[in-house]
Amino acid sequence: MTETSSHPYDALTPDTILDAMESAGFVINGRLFALNSYENRVYQIGIEDSAPLIVKFYRPGRWSEAQIREEHTFTAELTAADIPVVAPLTLPTGDTLGRCQEFLFAVFPQRGGQAPDTSFTMWAEKATSSIARRWIS
């Protein structure tokens, strides 16, 4: 009896992940480290003679390609407005979105994270500074 795969990520093997990065034009060193993510699959990938990169594989069937591209456009707009966000890299193909088998993926620079400061004072300083930059320039 043959079992069939039912989970969307069953086909996302380490070889598939590394192949996706190579097909996108990156020279990998074979290092692969799974990171925490609720909905998607996210990995740190070793890059030859460079800092590691983060690759995010979008859950098949969860978002359309148009929705993912809208997210990428929005994060680029936030970056251009000097709002701190980690936007996807432009792949060597000239796109921010790659495809490997049935998976869509994006590559990001590695950035350290921290819990946000939820104090009103810190938020107000950041918000007013951001608003001032937009109106002054």
Side-chain angles (χ1 to χ4, degrees), residues 17-39:
I17 296 162
L18 297 175
D19 287 348
M21 290 296 286
E22 285 184 323
S23 72
F26 295 98
V27 179
I28 59 171
N29 64 17
R31 292 190 173 116
L32 170 67
F33 182 72
L35 301 174
N36 292 334
S37 177
Y38 179 73
E39 187 69 32

Side-chain angles (χ1 to χ4, degrees), residues 81 83 123-137:
I83 296 172
W123 178 87
E125 288 174 7
K126 287 182 180 183
T128 55
S129 174
S130 179
I131 292 168
R133 278 194 307 272
R134 296 200 80 188
W135 287 104
I136 292 171
S137 57

Side-chain angles (χ1 to χ4, degrees), residues 42-110:
V42 181
Y43 301 90
Q44 176 180 292
I45 307 293
I47 303 299
E48 197 66 40
D49 298 324
S50 189
L53 294 173
I54 306 303
V55 62
K56 174 182 179 180
F57 287 87
Y58 295 91
R59 185 182 186 99
R62 176 65 173 96
W63 293 282
S64 69
E65 185 172 334
Q67 289 171 311
I68 296 168
R69 288 187 183 284
E70 181 180 6
E71 174 188 281
H72 289 193
T73 300
F74 181 60
T75 56
E77 291 169 358
L78 292 173
T79 299
D82 201 27
I83 296 172
V85 63
V86 181
L89 298 173
T90 300
L91 303 174
T93 60
D95 199 352
T96 59
L97 192 61
R99 181 183 301 273
C100 184
Q101 298 176 14
E102 70 266 30
F103 300 105
L104 295 172
F105 67 93
V107 179
F108 299 82
Q110 182 185 39

